[in-house]
Amino acid sequence: MRAALKEIFVKELGLKPDDFLDDLTYNSVPEWDSASHMAMILAVEEKFDLALESDDIVSMTSVAKILTILEGKGIAVD
Amino acid sequence: MAPISVRLRNSLRRATMAISIAYYRRYWGMDIGEGCRISHKAILDKSNPRGIHIGRYTGVALNAVILSHDFVRNKHVDTWIGERCHIGACAIIGAGVRVGDGCLVAAGSVVLKDVPDNCIVMGNPARVIEQGLKTGKWGVRVDILSSDRIDPNVLVTDEGKI
């Protein structure tokens, strides 16, 4: 899942692959703003075939939290 | 500095905007707070103009639609928009929706459910994607801009809100 999430971040946010770290947080880099956050959420939903709730979307404020939330939805972190 | 044509256009726009807001209030009876900026191209529902409530210092961008009547259910409802909000271009605020204070409605969003205070909503149907933001007048974000880039005019100082 981590690799797939990294791919989404690189593709949707235009982030450099080396910048994808667990402690990367929302609004800490110019690439990850509200508009790209939504694009990332839509890509995650499509990739993992999920429908995320508003609470989940709002709490996905760092890579680590995204991984935890997705893990809670039964997607294995590899 | 911007070209003279742009400056002229902007000052004319401000002046005519004040006239159009006065017209919305007096002729149509809409409840529009002080200091709002409503684009000339924004569409406010004239079927039930008394159902439109917009808080102070809210900005409404071009082609945004704010509805206050439900044709299919044949009823007039009240639609509330809080203060210091920004309603993006081409957004649609459905009839009977209550948008909280300090909210940003992204361009093209279709808001069908109530929005809590200090949120960004985006998409169709609109979903909350960020909470706890701080906005100045017309929805300028004062929490993520560095202090030297914030125009002091956008800060709402009375009542000590920001």
Side-chain angles (χ1 to χ4, degrees):
Chain A
M1 173 176 62
R2 189 185 295 271
L5 192 63
K6 184 172 178 174
E7 199 177 295
I8 289 170
F9 266 76
V10 170
K11 192 170 166 231
E12 301 292 339
L13 275 66
L15 202 72
K16 292 191 196 90
D18 296 342
D19 291 344
F20 182 80
L21 303 164
D22 270 15
D23 54 2
L24 184 71
T25 55
Y26 179 63
N27 271 337
S28 65
V29 286
E31 289 91 345
W32 193 358
D33 61 8
S34 54
S36 58
H37 187 68
M38 196 66 190
M40 185 271 291
I41 295 289
L42 293 174
V44 165
E45 287 186 338
E46 195 178 342
K47 177 83 187 172
F48 301 110
D49 196 18
L50 293 168
L52 294 167
E53 299 294 325
S54 267
D55 291 348
D56 293 333
I57 297 172
V58 170
S59 45
M60 284 178 160
T61 51
S62 71
V63 170
K65 282 182 183 164
I66 296 174
L67 292 171
T68 315
I69 289 168
L70 292 181
E71 203 179 0
K73 298 202 175 282
I75 297 157
V77 180
D78 46 38
Chain B
M1 194 181 258
I4 189 156
S5 53
V6 175
R7 279 182 283 148
L8 187 64
R9 182 257 183 201
N10 285 352
S11 56
L12 273 173
R13 180 172 182 267
R14 292 276 164 79
T16 51
M17 197 177 269
I19 296 168
S20 88
I21 290 175
Y23 166 71
Y24 282 143
R25 284 192 191 122
R26 299 224 180 112
Y27 185 77
W28 292 106
M30 292 175 184
D31 168 24
I32 297 176
E34 60 162 314
C36 282
R37 285 188 184 170
I38 296 175
S39 166
H40 292 297
K41 290 181 187 158
I43 300 165
L44 308 186
D45 198 337
K46 311 272 189 333
S47 298
N48 176 27
R50 286 178 192 278
I52 303 272
H53 305 272
I54 300 176
R56 59 191 196 137
Y57 303 120
T58 281
V60 181
L62 74 162
N63 288 352
V65 180
I66 300 172
L67 297 169
S68 60
H69 81 285
D70 187 335
F71 176 77
V72 186
R73 295 188 184 84
N74 189 22
K75 63 179 180 184
H76 285 175
V77 289
D78 281 23
T79 302
W80 299 80
I81 294 172
E83 55 185 58
R84 292 172 289 104
C85 295
H86 176 79
I87 311 298
C90 304
I92 299 175
I93 311 291
V97 166
R98 189 178 280 265
V99 177
D101 293 341
C103 287
L104 304 182
V105 177
S109 306
V110 180
V111 184
L112 301 172
K113 281 197 277 188
D114 290 1
V115 179
D117 291 349
N118 308 317
C119 282
I120 300 183
V121 291
M122 204 180 270
N124 175 13
R127 297 200 279 182
V128 176
I129 63 157
E130 189 180 339
Q131 283 177 330
L133 44 125
K134 251 182 163 180
T135 59
K137 291 178 184 174
W138 317 296
V140 175
R141 284 197 72 170
V142 294
D143 52 347
I144 56 169
L145 284 175
S146 55
S147 53
D148 58 316
R149 289 191 56 204
I150 298 175
D151 179 355
N153 294 329
V154 305
L155 298 174
V156 183
T157 46
D158 50 344
E159 295 175 23
K161 272 217 156 180
I162 285 175

